Amino acid sequence: MTSWQSRFAAASADRTGAYEQVLVPSLFHPWACLLVGQLDVREGSRVLDVACGPGTLARVLAGEAGVSGTVTGTDISPAMLSAARAKPVAAGAPQHYLLTSAAPLEGVLDGAYDLTCCQHGLQFFPDRPAAIAEWYRVTASGGNIAVAVWSPLSHNPAFAALHDAAAAVFGDDIAAAFTLPWSMCGDEVAALLEEGGFTEIRHRRRTLPTVFPGGIGGLRTVYRFSPIAGDIQSLTSNAEKALTRELTSRLEPFVHNGVLSMPTRADLVTARRP
Ligand SMILES: C[S@@+](CC[C@H](N)C(=O)[O-])C[C@H]1O[C@@H](n2cnc3c(N)ncnc32)[C@H](O)[C@@H]1O
């Protein structure tokens, strides 16, 4: 595991509250709805959501799979799974949550799922081919797979501005925290799936706005959830002002009437398990 991968895993454990309150509605739930809208989830499907976080995608999938289906969410973070379990049960398929790494997927049986999904999780895994080998193992023959990753920072200028503001205040080493989530592109995912034995690979790019109604202030939550939260907390008041200045000037093109709306591009890749 790289140091940033382990620091992101720790961030998941420590700051689930901020993630739930701000990042789920602004970022993850809209993507979950978009991803599921691209899939043909049949009534009665057995669905797996790997790196499910607080169950955002799992809950949307449950509505599609219906009461005769099942949805299992897995994650390495006990805090994320506690947040998922604490929510009122979503309508549709019963949802179960399982604590496991992405590879191995402990406790998940061979060929047990008709559809395996992973939304904005693959880029955090220390061994991506091993995770894909696990998806192949647990997906039934003829079943489907759906993966979403954010496109690289070069295609996400508003998130690149977050990186650049952090670099200006903390330096490049700390700002590197803002590269891991945007470290994969769809072609790379597609190539990994092909190497892993999947067929009928289809790659789409989609853009959604990530909206922070509180303007630049809402962004503090992104930083609070990120692995640089400790660095932010230890800022002197001058450095804090410098960070606010950097963010304000770099994100100004994305603020309208006090609302920050960051265009966000992701790559969605689907494939079939032969
Ligand atoms: C950006 S969040 C996405 C969560 C969820 N898929 C969603 O769309 O809301 C990434 C998730 O990956 C999980 N994760 C990171 N590394 C992991 C690993 N090696 N195995 C399993 N889950 C992991 C984290 O705990 C976190 O919940």
Side-chain angles (χ1 to χ4, degrees), residues 91-214:
Q95 299 114 60
H96 308 282
Y97 294 101
L98 192 61
L99 179 67
T100 171
S101 63
L105 275 170
E106 282 172 44
V108 184
L109 300 179
D110 294 0
Y113 291 96
D114 305 305
L115 172 64
T116 297
C117 299
C118 184
Q119 167 171 280
H120 306 311
L122 182 61
Q123 54 272 56
F124 299 99
F125 300 163
D127 188 343
R128 296 163 183 169
I132 287 171
E134 280 296 80
W135 298 348
Y136 192 93
R137 178 182 71 76
V138 302
T139 307
S141 176
N144 294 302
I145 184 135
V147 188
V149 292
W150 287 301
S151 306
L153 283 177
S154 52
H155 297 287
N156 276 308
F159 289 94
L162 279 191
H163 167 275
D164 295 346
V169 175
F170 298 107
D172 288 340
D173 287 352
I174 300 277
F178 287 95
T179 54
L180 184 61
W182 297 274
S183 60
M184 291 194 83
C185 64
D187 290 343
E188 198 181 342
V189 177
L192 284 171
L193 289 176
E194 194 176 359
E195 280 160 27
F198 288 93
T199 58
E200 298 178 41
I201 296 167
R202 185 164 170 210
H203 175 194
R204 285 162 268 201
R205 295 192 180 98
R206 295 287 181 272
T207 300
L208 279 180
T210 299
V211 180
F212 294 99

Side-chain angles (χ1 to χ4, degrees), residues 1 5 8-13 19 23-24 27-29 31-32 49-58 74-78 80-81 100-105 117-127 150 181 225:
M1 211 184 259
Q5 278 161 333
F8 264 99
S12 303
Y19 184 101
L23 297 184
V24 168
L27 189 58
F28 293 103
H29 187 255
W31 279 107
D49 178 13
V50 176
C52 65
T56 311
L57 176 64
T74 67
D75 203 281
I76 203 169
S77 157
M80 285 288 189
L81 294 181
T100 171
S101 63
L105 275 170
C117 299
C118 184
Q119 167 171 280
H120 306 311
L122 182 61
Q123 54 272 56
F124 299 99
F125 300 163
D127 188 343
W150 287 301
F225 177 71

Side-chain angles (χ1 to χ4, degrees), residues 8 16 56 69 122 203 235 249 256 262:
F8 264 99
T16 313
T56 311
L122 182 61
H203 175 194
L235 281 179
S249 68
H256 303 285
M262 299 165 71

